[in-house]
Amino acid sequence: DDDYPDLDIRPERWVNLRVKFVTWNFLTGLDFAMKVRSSTRLNAIVDKIKDKYGGSIMDVILYRQEVHPNNMLLDLGKTLDEAGFEGGKANPSEPLPDIKKEPDHPSWEYMWYDYKPHSSDCALLLSSPRGASRKDIAKKVEMEIEQEARAKAALQKKEEPSKKKMEEAVVAPLETQVEHEPSLDSDS
């Protein structure tokens, strides 16, 4: 008898779960709702949260009903029922209540989460082209074009005097040669 755990013969209970990000106090894409069985493990909820972020977060911390150290859910192997979510208020055949129309519907049970963002020392991952607006990028490109134009103009100014000197050096001896050579047109 002691080798087997007690069999739970209660009917399956369902939970209308609202999962909310601790930093935002208004409805965002980071908050979501779902209808789950009370036997759902907390790991499954963490996986769903990570999916919302494309897998780029780690160390997800869960809280039951409100954000408080006493409500932190540390054992992610527990089920919602074992973690203190009552369940039974949700009907599996009915759709979820509309969050916008019924944000305080009596069937909602709340889970809050926080996380650590992915950290990396990779310079490529640390740089983000999305950090700049289109206007910022356009200004940067315009400044680069102006700098290139200034550099070309400065280079041309330096080259012009040296070209003139070279031309003068080549043309001057030619002019003196022409003056001293006898003309072929003259009838001497």
Side-chain angles (χ1 to χ4, degrees), residues 32-44:
F32 60 95
M34 56 186 181
K35 186 182 303 254
V36 292
R37 290 185 167 96
S38 62
S39 60
T40 302
R41 300 230 175 253
L42 296 176
N43 280 324

Side-chain angles (χ1 to χ4, degrees), residues 50-132:
K50 287 181 177 180
D51 286 347
K52 285 277 188 190
Y53 291 86
S56 64
I57 62 172
M58 51 196 249
D59 298 333
V60 176
I61 302 166
L62 300 177
Y63 299 91
R64 183 178 51 83
Q65 304 300 356
E66 65 180 345
V67 180
H68 190 276
N70 293 339
N71 293 341
M72 195 178 299
L73 302 171
L74 299 175
D75 184 0
L76 300 179
K78 286 185 174 182
T79 64
L80 287 171
D81 188 32
E82 294 168 339
F85 291 89
E86 296 174 17
K89 297 179 187 174
N91 185 340
S93 60
E94 291 179 9
L96 280 171
D98 188 343
I99 294 175
K100 293 179 183 175
K101 292 179 182 174
E102 299 177 278
D104 298 321
H105 192 276
S107 69
W108 287 126
E109 294 194 46
Y110 294 90
M111 179 181 289
W112 296 82
Y113 72 95
D114 199 2
Y115 65 90
K116 290 182 183 175
H118 176 74
S119 62
S120 174
D121 294 336
C122 176
L124 184 59
L125 293 177
L126 293 175
S127 65
S128 174
R130 295 180 182 173

